[in-house]
Amino acid sequence: MSKPQRLSKACGQMTVELILLTVVFGGLSLFVSRFFLSQGIVQNLIQAPWNYGIAGMIENGQWGPVVKTHDFHPNLMRRHSSIKGEATR
Amino acid sequence: MITAPKRLDFQSRRGSQFRSQDGLMTIDFVFAMTLVLVFTVLLYSFSLTLSVVELVQYITFSTARAAYAAHVDLGSQVQLGTKKYNELVGRRAIAPLFKSWFKLNGGAGLGDWNHIYPQRGDDSRTFWGSRIQFLSPVLKFNIPLLGSSTEDDSPPAAFVSSYLSREPTSEECLLFNAQRAFAIKNLNISYRLMDEKSYFVMADNGC
């Protein structure tokens, strides 16, 4: 028994394959997008190095968060000035 | 004699079309260029930011230096420093930088910042100068599908400062000299017999 001629044609196969591939790549893109968003990967490229290194170096001259490096700022080093003529401590 | 089955017409046509690899290089190029462009933009944004930080560092130094010199009163010192700050920030070469890519908060930021660097038992007011908040909106961007580069709406920020202290003003100098008579009287109980009217205020180098 021979198949009807209409079903034996392969003309639409590529369209079906393309739809499937689109769904797969779309899903993959969404997965990657959510992964990037949940892990904050773009933030890790900018905000993280800024917060945990650069800002501390700009403000306090030390690599690290601003709050933690504040205590190491050279302005806080012990110094002596004898504005009242006092002896060295 | 066995002969190969005859290819259908659509198979031969489309087969050659999909076997062709002519466009692969273009697709690779598009992906690679996107990646390279993103990382180039990141690199340049950071480089530019760090360069402008140095620029702002000089602006704070110059502002603090302009306010350092003695003047009639404190307001005049601050006014001189602020004038210098406005002159530098408003320069045609760098003014466009602070319109969108970078921001400066707090104006000239001149004042007494000793509370940030407390010194044990030292009451000298060393840390007087310019302290400006530097913001870098150029580092704040949103990549579609991948998210924002910052945690919240505020761009990366840091304080840039220069503390040069300042010379006493004429007002402070005159006040100090006027109070010297009382300070001398308090040195010893016998000095209290001194007639205050006989005390003549004389500054060593003028006020």
Side-chain angles (χ1 to χ4, degrees):
Chain A
M1 187 180 171
S2 62
K3 286 182 183 174
Q5 197 180 358
R6 186 164 57 91
L7 293 180
S8 65
K9 283 185 178 176
C11 294
Q13 191 177 343
M14 187 53 73
T15 310
V16 174
E17 298 276 0
L18 282 176
I19 289 170
L20 287 175
L21 280 171
T22 308
V23 170
V24 168
F25 278 110
L28 199 67
S29 303
L30 269 178
F31 175 77
V32 171
S33 165
R34 285 184 184 173
F35 177 75
F36 267 65
L37 287 172
S38 65
Q39 298 292 315
I41 287 175
V42 180
Q43 283 176 20
N44 286 341
L45 285 173
I46 302 288
Q47 187 85 62
W50 185 272
N51 284 351
Y52 300 107
I54 296 170
M57 178 53 81
I58 292 171
E59 280 195 30
N60 303 317
Q62 297 277 335
W63 294 113
V66 171
V67 179
K68 284 188 179 175
T69 53
H70 176 262
D71 292 346
F72 301 102
H73 194 290
N75 283 356
L76 285 165
M77 285 167 73
R78 187 171 173 271
R79 67 179 195 281
H80 177 74
S81 56
S82 57
I83 52 174
K84 290 176 183 169
E86 66 271 30
T88 309
R89 284 163 286 182
Chain B
M1 182 182 171
I2 300 170
T3 55
K6 191 182 174 188
R7 289 174 71 91
L8 295 172
D9 192 35
F10 74 87
Q11 279 180 330
S12 58
R13 238 186 15 244
R14 291 198 172 167
S16 63
Q17 186 184 342
F18 287 109
R19 273 200 302 274
S20 167
Q21 296 185 359
D22 288 349
L24 271 180
M25 190 56 80
T26 309
I27 291 170
D28 273 354
F29 184 74
V30 168
F31 275 108
M33 272 307 284
T34 309
L35 273 174
V36 167
L37 275 177
V38 167
F39 279 101
T40 305
V41 167
L42 282 179
L43 193 68
Y44 273 89
S45 303
F46 260 118
S47 304
L48 196 62
T49 298
L50 295 178
S51 301
V52 175
V53 165
E54 290 303 310
L55 201 68
V56 176
Q57 181 69 69
Y58 176 75
I59 290 172
T60 59
F61 167 73
S62 195
T63 302
R65 185 177 56 183
Y68 172 85
H71 211 297
V72 178
D73 53 17
L74 178 61
S76 303
Q77 285 180 311
V78 171
Q79 196 179 11
L80 266 184
T82 307
K83 189 181 165 193
K84 186 68 183 176
Y85 167 81
N86 289 332
E87 182 199 328
L88 289 174
V89 172
R91 273 181 184 260
R92 204 171 54 179
I94 58 170
L97 284 174
F98 299 114
K99 282 185 179 161
S100 56
W101 284 4
F102 304 101
K103 300 272 179 203
L104 297 179
N105 263 354
L110 283 165
D112 185 341
W113 300 101
N114 282 279
H115 60 278
I116 299 173
Y117 309 104
Q119 299 290 319
R120 286 167 298 177
D122 188 351
D123 58 357
S124 61
R125 315 305 290 169
T126 306
F127 303 114
W128 199 99
S130 172
R131 180 176 164 88
I132 299 172
Q133 191 186 27
F134 167 77
L135 296 105
S136 178
V138 74
L139 288 176
K140 182 181 175 299
F141 50 83
N142 203 355
I143 301 177
L145 293 176
L146 301 182
S148 171
S149 65
T150 52
E151 286 163 3
D152 45 29
D153 281 342
S154 54
F159 281 96
V160 183
S161 46
S162 287
Y163 308 111
L164 299 181
S165 190
R166 67 178 175 85
E167 289 180 341
T169 63
S170 288
E171 210 175 61
E172 289 165 337
C173 177
L174 290 169
L175 185 68
F176 176 80
N177 284 335
Q179 287 174 339
R180 189 157 48 188
F182 299 102
I184 291 169
K185 279 176 79 173
N186 287 331
L187 281 175
N188 191 302
I189 196 160
S190 61
Y191 296 169
R192 293 191 182 169
L193 298 170
M194 181 181 79
D195 180 16
E196 281 177 28
K197 288 177 185 171
S198 64
Y199 176 71
F200 178 75
V201 175
M202 187 177 69
D204 289 343
N205 294 311
C207 279

